[in-house]
mmCIF file of all heavy atoms in Angstrom:
data_model
loop_
_atom_site.group_PDB
_atom_site.id
_atom_site.type_symbol
_atom_site.label_atom_id
_atom_site.label_comp_id
_atom_site.label_asym_id
_atom_site.label_seq_id
_atom_site.Cartn_x
_atom_site.Cartn_y
_atom_site.Cartn_z
ATOM 1 N N TYR P 27 -11.425 5.843 7.831
ATOM 2 C CA TYR P 27 -10.550 4.661 7.847
ATOM 3 C C TYR P 27 -9.439 4.809 6.799
ATOM 4 O O TYR P 27 -8.268 4.515 7.056
ATOM 5 C CB TYR P 27 -11.377 3.398 7.564
ATOM 6 C CG TYR P 27 -10.523 2.191 7.209
ATOM 7 C CD1 TYR P 27 -9.714 1.589 8.159
ATOM 8 C CD2 TYR P 27 -10.505 1.686 5.908
ATOM 9 C CE1 TYR P 27 -8.905 0.508 7.832
ATOM 10 C CE2 TYR P 27 -9.706 0.609 5.569
ATOM 11 C CZ TYR P 27 -8.909 0.032 6.537
ATOM 12 O OH TYR P 27 -8.099 -1.031 6.198
ATOM 13 N N VAL P 28 -9.792 5.309 5.622
ATOM 14 C CA VAL P 28 -8.810 5.416 4.536
ATOM 15 C C VAL P 28 -7.837 6.566 4.797
ATOM 16 O O VAL P 28 -6.611 6.401 4.737
ATOM 17 C CB VAL P 28 -9.519 5.624 3.178
ATOM 18 C CG1 VAL P 28 -8.510 5.940 2.076
ATOM 19 C CG2 VAL P 28 -10.341 4.403 2.808
ATOM 20 N N GLU P 29 -8.383 7.735 5.117
ATOM 21 C CA GLU P 29 -7.536 8.928 5.165
ATOM 22 C C GLU P 29 -6.828 9.123 6.485
ATOM 23 O O GLU P 29 -5.805 9.804 6.564
ATOM 24 C CB GLU P 29 -8.385 10.171 4.876
ATOM 25 C CG GLU P 29 -8.786 10.243 3.423
ATOM 26 C CD GLU P 29 -9.503 11.524 3.076
ATOM 27 O OE1 GLU P 29 -9.909 12.259 3.997
ATOM 28 O OE2 GLU P 29 -9.660 11.780 1.879
ATOM 29 N N LEU P 38 1.325 11.260 9.948
ATOM 30 C CA LEU P 38 0.545 11.411 8.708
ATOM 31 C C LEU P 38 0.899 12.733 8.030
ATOM 32 O O LEU P 38 1.185 12.797 6.834
ATOM 33 C CB LEU P 38 -0.946 11.361 9.059
ATOM 34 C CG LEU P 38 -1.929 11.530 7.923
ATOM 35 C CD1 LEU P 38 -2.024 10.251 7.120
ATOM 36 C CD2 LEU P 38 -3.322 11.891 8.449
ATOM 37 N N ASN P 41 4.652 13.017 6.787
ATOM 38 C CA ASN P 41 4.878 12.360 5.486
ATOM 39 C C ASN P 41 4.638 13.333 4.340
ATOM 40 O O ASN P 41 5.384 13.373 3.369
ATOM 41 C CB ASN P 41 3.910 11.180 5.317
ATOM 42 C CG ASN P 41 4.440 9.896 5.936
ATOM 43 O OD1 ASN P 41 5.601 9.805 6.313
ATOM 44 N ND2 ASN P 41 3.577 8.900 6.045
ATOM 45 N N LEU P 42 3.560 14.107 4.447
ATOM 46 C CA LEU P 42 3.183 15.016 3.356
ATOM 47 C C LEU P 42 4.101 16.234 3.303
ATOM 48 O O LEU P 42 4.445 16.731 2.239
ATOM 49 C CB LEU P 42 1.726 15.463 3.522
ATOM 50 C CG LEU P 42 0.679 14.333 3.528
ATOM 51 C CD1 LEU P 42 -0.671 14.847 3.981
ATOM 52 C CD2 LEU P 42 0.559 13.706 2.144
ATOM 53 N N ALA P 79 0.810 -0.151 -2.917
ATOM 54 C CA ALA P 79 1.074 -0.637 -1.560
ATOM 55 C C ALA P 79 -0.064 -1.544 -1.088
ATOM 56 O O ALA P 79 -1.200 -1.406 -1.554
ATOM 57 C CB ALA P 79 1.216 0.562 -0.616
ATOM 58 N N PRO P 80 0.233 -2.462 -0.163
ATOM 59 C CA PRO P 80 -0.837 -3.318 0.339
ATOM 60 C C PRO P 80 -1.828 -2.520 1.183
ATOM 61 O O PRO P 80 -1.425 -1.710 2.008
ATOM 62 C CB PRO P 80 -0.090 -4.331 1.220
ATOM 63 C CG PRO P 80 1.159 -3.633 1.639
ATOM 64 C CD PRO P 80 1.522 -2.735 0.492
ATOM 65 N N MET P 81 -3.104 -2.765 0.951
ATOM 66 C CA MET P 81 -4.135 -2.109 1.766
ATOM 67 C C MET P 81 -5.227 -3.118 2.095
ATOM 68 O O MET P 81 -5.741 -3.797 1.197
ATOM 69 C CB MET P 81 -4.715 -0.906 1.012
ATOM 70 C CG MET P 81 -3.770 0.287 1.014
ATOM 71 S SD MET P 81 -4.307 1.581 -0.100
ATOM 72 C CE MET P 81 -3.927 0.885 -1.684
ATOM 73 N N GLY P 82 -5.565 -3.189 3.367
ATOM 74 C CA GLY P 82 -6.547 -4.159 3.813
ATOM 75 C C GLY P 82 -7.967 -3.624 3.705
ATOM 76 O O GLY P 82 -8.191 -2.405 3.677
ATOM 77 N N VAL P 83 -8.911 -4.538 3.627
ATOM 78 C CA VAL P 83 -10.349 -4.241 3.686
ATOM 79 C C VAL P 83 -10.805 -3.214 2.649
ATOM 80 O O VAL P 83 -11.718 -2.431 2.897
ATOM 81 C CB VAL P 83 -10.790 -3.766 5.094
ATOM 82 C CG1 VAL P 83 -12.146 -4.373 5.439
ATOM 83 C CG2 VAL P 83 -9.830 -4.076 6.187
ATOM 84 N N THR P 84 -10.170 -3.209 1.480
ATOM 85 C CA THR P 84 -10.540 -2.212 0.469
ATOM 86 C C THR P 84 -11.938 -2.462 -0.095
ATOM 87 O O THR P 84 -12.513 -1.589 -0.738
ATOM 88 C CB THR P 84 -9.538 -2.206 -0.702
ATOM 89 O OG1 THR P 84 -9.492 -3.526 -1.248
ATOM 90 C CG2 THR P 84 -8.157 -1.798 -0.244
ATOM 91 N N SER P 109 -2.721 -7.265 0.202
ATOM 92 C CA SER P 109 -2.677 -7.284 1.667
ATOM 93 C C SER P 109 -3.165 -8.631 2.194
ATOM 94 O O SER P 109 -4.105 -9.218 1.656
ATOM 95 C CB SER P 109 -3.578 -6.170 2.214
ATOM 96 O OG SER P 109 -3.838 -6.391 3.586
ATOM 97 N N GLY P 110 -2.557 -9.073 3.286
ATOM 98 C CA GLY P 110 -3.046 -10.276 3.964
ATOM 99 C C GLY P 110 -4.457 -10.072 4.493
ATOM 100 O O GLY P 110 -5.200 -11.042 4.675
ATOM 101 N N LEU P 111 -4.841 -8.822 4.732
ATOM 102 C CA LEU P 111 -6.201 -8.550 5.230
ATOM 103 C C LEU P 111 -7.136 -8.250 4.056
ATOM 104 O O LEU P 111 -7.884 -7.268 4.068
ATOM 105 C CB LEU P 111 -6.190 -7.368 6.200
ATOM 106 C CG LEU P 111 -5.782 -7.684 7.638
ATOM 107 C CD1 LEU P 111 -5.942 -6.464 8.523
ATOM 108 C CD2 LEU P 111 -6.595 -8.841 8.217
ATOM 109 N N GLN P 129 1.558 -9.447 0.929
ATOM 110 C CA GLN P 129 2.025 -8.864 2.198
ATOM 111 C C GLN P 129 1.389 -9.601 3.357
ATOM 112 O O GLN P 129 0.162 -9.692 3.451
ATOM 113 C CB GLN P 129 1.661 -7.368 2.261
ATOM 114 C CG GLN P 129 1.907 -6.719 3.618
ATOM 115 C CD GLN P 129 0.676 -6.750 4.510
ATOM 116 O OE1 GLN P 129 -0.444 -6.637 4.014
ATOM 117 N NE2 GLN P 129 0.860 -6.915 5.811
ATOM 118 N N GLY P 130 2.218 -10.112 4.250
ATOM 119 C CA GLY P 130 1.694 -10.852 5.393
ATOM 120 C C GLY P 130 1.798 -10.067 6.685
ATOM 121 O O GLY P 130 2.765 -9.350 6.924
ATOM 122 N N TYR P 131 0.725 -10.203 7.478
ATOM 123 C CA TYR P 131 0.792 -9.835 8.891
ATOM 124 C C TYR P 131 0.999 -11.171 9.593
ATOM 125 O O TYR P 131 0.021 -11.871 9.887
ATOM 126 C CB TYR P 131 -0.539 -9.238 9.343
ATOM 127 C CG TYR P 131 -0.770 -7.797 8.951
ATOM 128 C CD1 TYR P 131 -1.940 -7.431 8.304
ATOM 129 C CD2 TYR P 131 0.144 -6.800 9.276
ATOM 130 C CE1 TYR P 131 -2.183 -6.102 7.977
ATOM 131 C CE2 TYR P 131 -0.097 -5.483 8.946
ATOM 132 C CZ TYR P 131 -1.260 -5.142 8.307
ATOM 133 O OH TYR P 131 -1.496 -3.827 7.990
ATOM 134 N N THR P 157 5.196 -7.300 6.919
ATOM 135 C CA THR P 157 5.055 -5.995 7.575
ATOM 136 C C THR P 157 5.504 -6.103 9.024
ATOM 137 O O THR P 157 5.051 -6.985 9.755
ATOM 138 C CB THR P 157 3.586 -5.524 7.492
ATOM 139 O OG1 THR P 157 3.293 -5.259 6.122
ATOM 140 C CG2 THR P 157 3.358 -4.255 8.295
ATOM 141 N N ASP P 159 5.776 -3.203 11.164
ATOM 142 C CA ASP P 159 5.466 -2.029 12.000
ATOM 143 C C ASP P 159 4.095 -2.118 12.665
ATOM 144 O O ASP P 159 3.566 -1.139 13.158
ATOM 145 C CB ASP P 159 5.570 -0.740 11.163
ATOM 146 C CG ASP P 159 4.614 -0.730 9.959
ATOM 147 O OD1 ASP P 159 3.728 -1.597 9.897
ATOM 148 O OD2 ASP P 159 4.771 0.151 9.095
ATOM 149 N N THR P 160 3.534 -3.334 12.661
ATOM 150 C CA THR P 160 2.170 -3.480 13.186
ATOM 151 C C THR P 160 2.082 -4.634 14.191
ATOM 152 O O THR P 160 1.224 -5.505 14.056
ATOM 153 C CB THR P 160 1.195 -3.714 11.997
ATOM 154 O OG1 THR P 160 1.542 -2.792 10.955
ATOM 155 C CG2 THR P 160 -0.245 -3.482 12.365
ATOM 156 N N ARG P 166 -6.225 4.442 16.773
ATOM 157 C CA ARG P 166 -6.877 5.245 15.723
ATOM 158 C C ARG P 166 -8.170 5.828 16.268
ATOM 159 O O ARG P 166 -9.260 5.261 16.111
ATOM 160 C CB ARG P 166 -7.135 4.393 14.487
ATOM 161 C CG ARG P 166 -5.839 3.859 13.906
ATOM 162 C CD ARG P 166 -6.000 3.237 12.553
ATOM 163 N NE ARG P 166 -4.755 2.577 12.170
ATOM 164 C CZ ARG P 166 -4.638 1.668 11.219
ATOM 165 N NH1 ARG P 166 -5.700 1.321 10.535
ATOM 166 N NH2 ARG P 166 -3.487 1.121 10.953
ATOM 167 N N LYS P 258 8.647 -4.739 5.261
ATOM 168 C CA LYS P 258 7.943 -3.457 5.094
ATOM 169 C C LYS P 258 7.707 -2.825 6.462
ATOM 170 O O LYS P 258 7.280 -3.517 7.398
ATOM 171 C CB LYS P 258 6.590 -3.680 4.408
ATOM 172 C CG LYS P 258 5.711 -2.431 4.370
ATOM 173 C CD LYS P 258 4.455 -2.661 3.565
ATOM 174 C CE LYS P 258 3.624 -1.409 3.449
ATOM 175 N NZ LYS P 258 2.835 -1.088 4.635
ATOM 176 N N SER P 280 8.901 2.691 5.652
ATOM 177 C CA SER P 280 7.481 3.050 5.750
ATOM 178 C C SER P 280 7.092 3.239 7.201
ATOM 179 O O SER P 280 7.672 2.629 8.101
ATOM 180 C CB SER P 280 6.644 1.899 5.144
ATOM 181 O OG SER P 280 5.269 2.071 5.401
ATOM 182 N N ASN P 281 6.111 4.109 7.422
ATOM 183 C CA ASN P 281 5.487 4.205 8.748
ATOM 184 C C ASN P 281 3.995 3.891 8.620
ATOM 185 O O ASN P 281 3.179 4.401 9.361
ATOM 186 C CB ASN P 281 5.710 5.588 9.359
ATOM 187 C CG ASN P 281 5.411 6.688 8.352
ATOM 188 O OD1 ASN P 281 4.388 6.650 7.666
ATOM 189 N ND2 ASN P 281 6.291 7.666 8.246
ATOM 190 N N HIS P 282 3.669 3.062 7.614
ATOM 191 C CA HIS P 282 2.301 2.598 7.431
ATOM 192 C C HIS P 282 1.369 3.758 7.053
ATOM 193 O O HIS P 282 0.193 3.790 7.403
ATOM 194 C CB HIS P 282 1.808 1.934 8.716
ATOM 195 C CG HIS P 282 0.998 0.692 8.497
ATOM 196 N ND1 HIS P 282 1.514 -0.574 8.583
ATOM 197 C CD2 HIS P 282 -0.321 0.520 8.204
ATOM 198 C CE1 HIS P 282 0.565 -1.465 8.365
ATOM 199 N NE2 HIS P 282 -0.559 -0.826 8.116
ATOM 200 N N GLY P 283 1.933 4.744 6.358
ATOM 201 C CA GLY P 283 1.110 5.899 5.981
ATOM 202 C C GLY P 283 0.631 6.682 7.193
ATOM 203 O O GLY P 283 -0.465 7.259 7.174
ATOM 204 N N GLY P 284 1.464 6.727 8.246
ATOM 205 C CA GLY P 284 1.073 7.460 9.458
ATOM 206 C C GLY P 284 -0.034 6.786 10.230
ATOM 207 O O GLY P 284 -0.739 7.439 11.003
ATOM 208 N N ARG P 285 -0.187 5.488 10.051
ATOM 209 C CA ARG P 285 -1.307 4.773 10.676
ATOM 210 C C ARG P 285 -0.877 3.900 11.841
ATOM 211 O O ARG P 285 -1.674 3.177 12.397
ATOM 212 C CB ARG P 285 -1.990 3.890 9.620
ATOM 213 C CG ARG P 285 -2.558 4.666 8.463
ATOM 214 C CD ARG P 285 -2.816 3.781 7.269
ATOM 215 N NE ARG P 285 -3.984 2.945 7.407
ATOM 216 C CZ ARG P 285 -5.229 3.340 7.179
ATOM 217 N NH1 ARG P 285 -5.454 4.580 6.802
ATOM 218 N NH2 ARG P 285 -6.244 2.507 7.306
ATOM 219 N N ASP P 313 7.367 4.124 1.022
ATOM 220 C CA ASP P 313 5.995 4.628 0.809
ATOM 221 C C ASP P 313 5.651 5.611 1.908
ATOM 222 O O ASP P 313 6.346 5.717 2.911
ATOM 223 C CB ASP P 313 4.968 3.482 0.722
ATOM 224 C CG ASP P 313 4.689 2.802 2.061
ATOM 225 O OD1 ASP P 313 4.859 3.428 3.120
ATOM 226 O OD2 ASP P 313 4.273 1.629 2.039
ATOM 227 N N GLY P 314 4.569 6.379 1.679
ATOM 228 C CA GLY P 314 4.086 7.306 2.697
ATOM 229 C C GLY P 314 4.021 8.735 2.205
ATOM 230 O O GLY P 314 5.029 9.435 2.181
ATOM 231 N N GLY P 315 2.841 9.155 1.774
ATOM 232 C CA GLY P 315 2.613 10.561 1.447
ATOM 233 C C GLY P 315 2.927 10.960 0.016
ATOM 234 O O GLY P 315 2.837 12.136 -0.326
ATOM 235 N N PHE P 316 3.265 10.006 -0.847
ATOM 236 C CA PHE P 316 3.641 10.347 -2.229
ATOM 237 C C PHE P 316 2.382 10.650 -3.043
ATOM 238 O O PHE P 316 1.510 9.796 -3.205
ATOM 239 C CB PHE P 316 4.434 9.198 -2.866
ATOM 240 C CG PHE P 316 5.791 9.029 -2.234
ATOM 241 C CD1 PHE P 316 5.945 8.321 -1.059
ATOM 242 C CD2 PHE P 316 6.893 9.641 -2.801
ATOM 243 C CE1 PHE P 316 7.189 8.192 -0.453
ATOM 244 C CE2 PHE P 316 8.144 9.528 -2.199
ATOM 245 C CZ PHE P 316 8.285 8.803 -1.022
ATOM 246 N N ARG P 317 2.298 11.871 -3.538
ATOM 247 C CA ARG P 317 1.098 12.309 -4.269
ATOM 248 C C ARG P 317 1.431 12.932 -5.622
ATOM 249 O O ARG P 317 0.520 13.247 -6.389
ATOM 250 C CB ARG P 317 0.332 13.367 -3.444
ATOM 251 C CG ARG P 317 -0.061 12.913 -2.044
ATOM 252 C CD ARG P 317 -1.148 11.846 -2.086
ATOM 253 N NE ARG P 317 -1.553 11.428 -0.761
ATOM 254 C CZ ARG P 317 -1.079 10.355 -0.115
ATOM 255 N NH1 ARG P 317 -0.150 9.594 -0.676
ATOM 256 N NH2 ARG P 317 -1.511 10.033 1.088
ATOM 257 N N PHE P 334 6.016 3.108 -3.404
ATOM 258 C CA PHE P 334 4.671 2.540 -3.387
ATOM 259 C C PHE P 334 3.652 3.604 -3.009
ATOM 260 O O PHE P 334 3.909 4.457 -2.157
ATOM 261 C CB PHE P 334 4.604 1.352 -2.420
ATOM 262 C CG PHE P 334 5.256 0.130 -2.984
ATOM 263 C CD1 PHE P 334 6.588 -0.145 -2.738
ATOM 264 C CD2 PHE P 334 4.547 -0.726 -3.809
ATOM 265 C CE1 PHE P 334 7.207 -1.252 -3.288
ATOM 266 C CE2 PHE P 334 5.147 -1.841 -4.376
ATOM 267 C CZ PHE P 334 6.485 -2.106 -4.116
ATOM 268 N N LEU P 335 2.512 3.529 -3.660
ATOM 269 C CA LEU P 335 1.414 4.463 -3.396
ATOM 270 C C LEU P 335 0.288 3.697 -2.733
ATOM 271 O O LEU P 335 -0.134 2.646 -3.239
ATOM 272 C CB LEU P 335 0.905 5.071 -4.705
ATOM 273 C CG LEU P 335 1.957 5.681 -5.635
ATOM 274 C CD1 LEU P 335 1.311 6.118 -6.943
ATOM 275 C CD2 LEU P 335 2.648 6.863 -4.977
ATOM 276 N N GLY P 336 -0.186 4.220 -1.613
ATOM 277 C CA GLY P 336 -1.298 3.588 -0.924
ATOM 278 C C GLY P 336 -2.597 4.287 -1.272
ATOM 279 O O GLY P 336 -3.273 3.974 -2.261
ATOM 280 N N ARG P 337 -2.927 5.309 -0.488
ATOM 281 C CA ARG P 337 -4.211 5.995 -0.673
ATOM 282 C C ARG P 337 -4.458 6.454 -2.118
ATOM 283 O O ARG P 337 -5.588 6.307 -2.600
ATOM 284 C CB ARG P 337 -4.312 7.167 0.305
ATOM 285 C CG ARG P 337 -4.329 6.719 1.780
ATOM 286 C CD ARG P 337 -4.285 7.913 2.703
ATOM 287 N NE ARG P 337 -4.221 7.584 4.120
ATOM 288 C CZ ARG P 337 -3.083 7.425 4.800
ATOM 289 N NH1 ARG P 337 -1.917 7.537 4.199
ATOM 290 N NH2 ARG P 337 -3.122 7.158 6.086
ATOM 291 N N PRO P 338 -3.453 7.008 -2.817
ATOM 292 C CA PRO P 338 -3.760 7.469 -4.189
ATOM 293 C C PRO P 338 -4.375 6.369 -5.052
ATOM 294 O O PRO P 338 -5.329 6.607 -5.798
ATOM 295 C CB PRO P 338 -2.390 7.903 -4.723
ATOM 296 C CG PRO P 338 -1.634 8.324 -3.507
ATOM 297 C CD PRO P 338 -2.081 7.373 -2.425
ATOM 298 N N LEU P 340 -5.965 3.748 -3.968
ATOM 299 C CA LEU P 340 -7.288 3.401 -3.450
ATOM 300 C C LEU P 340 -8.327 4.444 -3.878
ATOM 301 O O LEU P 340 -9.468 4.100 -4.207
ATOM 302 C CB LEU P 340 -7.222 3.283 -1.917
ATOM 303 C CG LEU P 340 -8.427 2.687 -1.209
ATOM 304 C CD1 LEU P 340 -8.897 1.392 -1.866
ATOM 305 C CD2 LEU P 340 -8.108 2.441 0.263
HETATM 306 C C1 FMN I 1 -6.794 1.928 3.875
HETATM 307 C C2 FMN I 1 -5.400 1.438 4.124
HETATM 308 C C3 FMN I 1 -5.200 0.125 4.481
HETATM 309 C C4 FMN I 1 -3.897 -0.344 4.705
HETATM 310 N N1 FMN I 1 -3.705 -1.675 4.976
HETATM 311 C C5 FMN I 1 -2.443 -2.151 5.055
HETATM 312 C C6 FMN I 1 -2.218 -3.550 5.160
HETATM 313 O O1 FMN I 1 -3.145 -4.356 5.173
HETATM 314 N N2 FMN I 1 -0.931 -3.964 5.247
HETATM 315 C C7 FMN I 1 0.149 -3.100 5.231
HETATM 316 O O2 FMN I 1 1.300 -3.537 5.318
HETATM 317 N N3 FMN I 1 -0.058 -1.775 5.086
HETATM 318 C C8 FMN I 1 -1.303 -1.299 4.987
HETATM 319 N N4 FMN I 1 -1.505 0.046 4.797
HETATM 320 C C9 FMN I 1 -0.344 0.929 4.651
HETATM 321 C C10 FMN I 1 0.093 1.016 3.186
HETATM 322 O O3 FMN I 1 0.620 -0.198 2.736
HETATM 323 C C11 FMN I 1 1.166 2.083 2.974
HETATM 324 O O4 FMN I 1 2.221 1.861 3.872
HETATM 325 C C12 FMN I 1 0.624 3.501 3.153
HETATM 326 O O5 FMN I 1 -0.689 3.607 2.697
HETATM 327 C C13 FMN I 1 1.492 4.475 2.358
HETATM 328 O O6 FMN I 1 1.073 5.780 2.561
HETATM 329 P P1 FMN I 1 0.123 6.589 1.553
HETATM 330 O O7 FMN I 1 -1.245 6.052 1.758
HETATM 331 O O8 FMN I 1 0.276 7.985 2.023
HETATM 332 O O9 FMN I 1 0.629 6.345 0.152
HETATM 333 C C14 FMN I 1 -2.791 0.539 4.598
HETATM 334 C C15 FMN I 1 -3.021 1.867 4.237
HETATM 335 C C16 FMN I 1 -4.303 2.320 4.004
HETATM 336 C C17 FMN I 1 -4.497 3.748 3.579
#
Side-chain angles (χ1 to χ4, degrees):
Y27 165 69
V28 172
E29 288 186 347
L38 179 77
N41 274 349
L42 301 168
M81 284 170 286
V83 220
T84 57
S109 164
L111 278 186
Q129 171 267 325
Y131 281 128
T157 293
D159 59 12
T160 316
R166 299 191 189 162
K258 172 174 184 282
S280 170
N281 47 46
H282 221 98
R285 299 162 75 82
D313 72 26
F316 292 82
R317 304 290 181 264
F334 285 92
L335 309 175
R337 296 174 183 91
L340 191 48

